[in-house]
Amino acid sequence: MSGREYPLNTLGLSHRFLAGHIREGMFCIDATAGRGKDTAFLCSLVGESGRVLAFDIQPEAVESTRALLMEKGFSARAQVLLDSHEHMEKYAQAGRVDAVVFNFGYLPGGDHSIYTRPPSSKAAIEAGLRLLRPGGVMSLCIYHGGDTGYEERDALLQYLRTIDSREYTVLLAPFYNRPGDPPIPVFILKET
């Protein structure tokens, strides 16, 4: 795949999926910027003529993402916003986004008392689905475990079953033979 290597983990599977669907000039959203890895990856795929929006509610995440984009020379391709992912429709038009990426859980190396929660996560997925163009894709990584992650995992997995199968295909790719609570990759394709 264009000389890139994808490790056999959740991030690698997500990146492999996205690389198969995103091209130069496309418009993508990183709904949970975190440390900026997905934002930078999306910037590398959309090229100089593409655009990426990234969201996070934590100033530390926004600063970290902006620093990584600056280091990689991607600052002009992306806008990093200090806002909740559930508000992404204020920044993009329905049917105009090529890909939306989520990582649910908490900021790596950050405050574990700040984490994604089922009501805003479900609202953000719904917003992202409305923003996707026909043929657009969504990648979700559900990080779970600890005191709060199981509740969100269960709520999101239940919600994903309700997405209209006439408009979207939802694929789960859990790691069944990995110890502990490995993240759950989910891929959504908008059919119409």
Side-chain angles (χ1 to χ4, degrees):
M1 294 226 151
S2 68
R4 291 188 169 99
E5 290 194 29
Y6 300 98
L8 199 51
N9 59 27
T10 306
L11 183 64
L13 287 178
S14 173
H15 285 189
R16 183 178 298 188
F17 172 76
L18 293 166
H21 292 89
I22 299 171
R23 302 286 175 260
E24 176 89 25
M26 288 187 165
F27 174 34
C28 301
I29 293 176
D30 183 354
T32 49
R35 297 291 178 195
K37 290 181 181 178
D38 285 333
T39 307
F41 182 72
L42 293 171
C43 286
S44 75
L45 295 176
V46 302
E48 292 182 17
S49 63
R51 182 172 157 227
V52 176
L53 287 179
F55 295 88
D56 212 292
I57 61 167
Q58 297 183 68
E60 178 184 352
V62 169
E63 292 168 18
S64 182
T65 298
R66 286 179 179 157
L68 181 62
L69 294 176
M70 179 79 71
E71 174 187 316
K72 294 191 172 286
F74 293 150
S75 295
R77 300 178 195 184
Q79 182 180 6
V80 186
L81 301 161
L82 182 63
D83 199 352
S84 174
H85 52 207
E86 67 185 314
H87 300 144
M88 69 177 83
E89 286 178 295
K90 293 189 321 189
Y91 305 91
Q93 292 182 324
R96 298 291 180 99
V97 177
D98 296 291
V100 180
V101 179
F102 289 92
N103 285 296
F104 296 105
Y106 54 81
L107 178 65
D111 181 351
H112 288 205
S113 70
I114 302 171
Y115 51 89
T116 56
R117 299 174 192 269
S120 62
S121 295
K122 288 193 290 189
I125 293 170
E126 290 170 352
L129 292 174
R130 288 188 293 270
L131 291 175
L132 284 179
R133 66 165 176 78
V137 297
M138 184 180 289
S139 171
L140 301 85
C141 294
I142 304 171
Y143 290 86
H144 60 99
D147 295 333
T148 58
Y150 299 117
E151 177 188 347
E152 183 170 47
R153 175 201 63 196
D154 295 346
L156 291 178
L157 292 178
Q158 181 61 34
Y159 164 71
L160 292 170
R161 289 179 175 270
T162 69
I163 294 174
D164 188 345
S165 63
R166 293 168 297 183
E167 293 184 57
Y168 304 93
T169 297
V170 179
L171 304 169
L172 269 69
F175 292 95
Y176 276 122
N177 66 341
R178 300 269 168 99
D181 295 309
I184 301 170
V186 180
F187 306 108
I188 301 176
L189 298 90
K190 184 169 186 174
E191 305 294 338
T192 59

